[in-house]
Amino acid sequence: QVQLVESGGGLVQTGDSLRLSCAASGRTLNNYAMGWFRQAPGKEREFVARISRSGGSTSYADSVKGRFTISRDNAKNTVYLQMYSLKPEDTAVYYCAAGSSPYYSDYTQYDYWGRGTQVTVSS
């Protein structure tokens, strides 16, 4: 139905910024709400941010609110996660997900997933 590929991860220092991208193929992204999740080694998948189909509504985890911004460009079939003021606690593999009608923070409600991009924040 849809294939998602994340990019933009890398190694940065505390306080740096990074922008992640999620490029989709298959069905156009305007069919889906989009979410970003992250997972550190040995930990469960954690909700980061969600954006509605049109981009008119966004939600964020408390841990990233005010630092991260999710956006989408449906014409380009791409969703973004702009990250500011990165902290070592943000180190994780970041995953892009798509869902037809998900509860925003519940990863089980999303239907499609990318393979992830690594973000490492050094102190």
Side-chain angles (χ1 to χ4, degrees):
Q1 292 289 296
V2 59
Q3 297 79 46
L4 305 173
V5 180
E6 304 92 339
S7 63
L11 174 62
V12 298
Q13 297 186 65
T14 298
D16 283 354
S17 300
L18 208 56
R19 188 178 77 160
L20 306 183
S21 298
C22 175
S25 60
R27 298 184 74 180
T28 54
L29 286 188
N30 63 2
N31 292 290
Y32 304 100
M34 301 296 298
W36 284 97
F37 293 78
R38 65 189 183 186
Q39 188 166 21
K43 296 186 179 296
E44 292 189 344
R45 198 175 310 173
E46 177 187 22
F47 168 74
V48 176
R50 184 271 297 169
I51 189 166
S52 63
R53 292 170 181 79
S54 67
S57 178
T58 58
S59 299
Y60 299 92
D62 288 342
S63 59
V64 307
K65 191 173 298 182
R67 298 189 297 121
F68 291 9
T69 300
I70 188 171
S71 62
R72 67 191 301 162
D73 187 338
N74 287 343
K76 296 181 179 179
N77 233 21
T78 303
V79 63
Y80 306 94
L81 185 69
Q82 179 67 58
M83 305 184 293
Y84 299 100
S85 301
L86 284 163
K87 303 182 291 186
E89 304 92 271
D90 297 317
T91 296
V93 176
Y94 283 70
Y95 296 94
C96 177
S100 58
S101 186
Y103 185 72
Y104 72 96
S105 62
D106 187 350
Y107 71 86
T108 68
Q109 296 290 301
Y110 290 79
D111 302 312
Y112 306 102
W113 294 84
R115 293 193 295 173
T117 185
Q118 177 72 48
V119 173
T120 302
V121 185
S122 65
S123 59

